[in-house]
Amino acid sequence: GYMLGAVSEEKEARTIEVLVTTLSAGKLMAGKVLGIVGTSLTLLLVWTLIVLAGILIAIQAGVSWFNNLTMDWSSILVSLAVAIPAYILAAALMTAIGAMVTTTQEAQSVSAVFFILHLLPIYLSWLFVNAPNQAPAVLLSLLPFTALVTLGLRNLFIIVPTWQVVASVTVQTLCAAG
């Protein structure tokens, strides 16, 4: 949402017009997307290090709850493999839409659509809680915007087949590249 608002504000202030005189529009938008993705990944890394430091401190302090802490690394790797291209796709689309709308208010109303699309699997989770390998669950695992949450929810109930994970990552990557 930040990208959508930032680009539309720059458009309203005519900052983009000045920048486009020295850069191509493609380079400008690519730079914006790479900048926000880089910033976000840096924040994710910092938060991950803070959490790991907290866990290590708790273990050293003798907090019993942390002594037998285990992680399902395959679920984390699947989530990361889907999340990074999905995030790049969302950032690129929001940047493009921010460049197309005329006011910040329009940009904010459009950003609600992205929010709804990303949370749609939570509302439709009743479809795959009892049958996590049925067609609706598999379809939502492959679609852009719904794949990340759907795979995460399905991983709670079953081990998602490898071909579905690979297909989902491929779809997300192709959409992000497009």
Side-chain angles (χ1 to χ4, degrees):
Y2 171 75
M3 285 301 295
L4 196 69
V7 172
S8 62
E9 284 176 16
E10 289 173 358
K11 189 176 173 187
E12 280 183 39
R14 305 222 183 251
T15 306
I16 287 184
E17 290 176 10
V18 173
L19 290 173
V20 169
T21 60
T22 59
L23 292 171
S24 70
K27 286 182 181 177
L28 177 66
M29 291 301 149
K32 288 189 163 300
V33 171
L34 288 175
I36 194 67
V37 169
T39 303
S40 300
L41 290 176
T42 302
L43 284 171
L44 179 64
L45 178 65
V46 168
W47 278 108
T48 302
L49 292 174
I50 289 171
V51 167
L52 290 175
I55 291 171
L56 290 174
I57 291 169
I59 290 171
Q60 294 297 322
V63 178
S64 62
W65 187 77
F66 288 99
N67 287 337
N68 296 323
L69 192 63
T70 60
M71 300 285 290
D72 181 15
W73 291 104
S74 64
S75 294
I76 292 171
L77 292 175
V78 165
S79 296
L80 282 174
V82 174
I84 292 172
Y87 183 74
I88 292 170
L89 172 64
L93 286 175
M94 287 188 178
T95 302
I97 290 172
M100 289 188 288
V101 297
T102 56
T103 65
T104 306
Q105 288 79 19
E106 285 180 48
Q108 289 173 349
S109 64
V110 171
S111 68
V113 173
F114 286 99
F115 184 75
I116 291 168
L117 284 173
H118 280 94
L119 292 181
L120 187 64
I122 293 173
Y123 295 115
L124 298 176
S125 62
W126 59 271
L127 288 171
F128 52 85
V129 167
N130 293 327
N133 277 326
Q134 296 301 318
V138 174
L139 180 65
L140 288 173
S141 296
L142 298 175
L143 294 175
F145 303 115
T146 60
L148 180 61
V149 175
T150 303
L151 284 173
L153 289 173
R154 288 180 65 206
N155 270 330
L156 293 174
F157 304 110
I158 63 164
I159 296 173
V160 178
T162 305
W163 74 267
Q164 292 176 15
V165 172
V166 170
S168 180
V169 170
T170 302
V171 168
Q172 301 304 313
T173 303
L174 290 174
C175 288

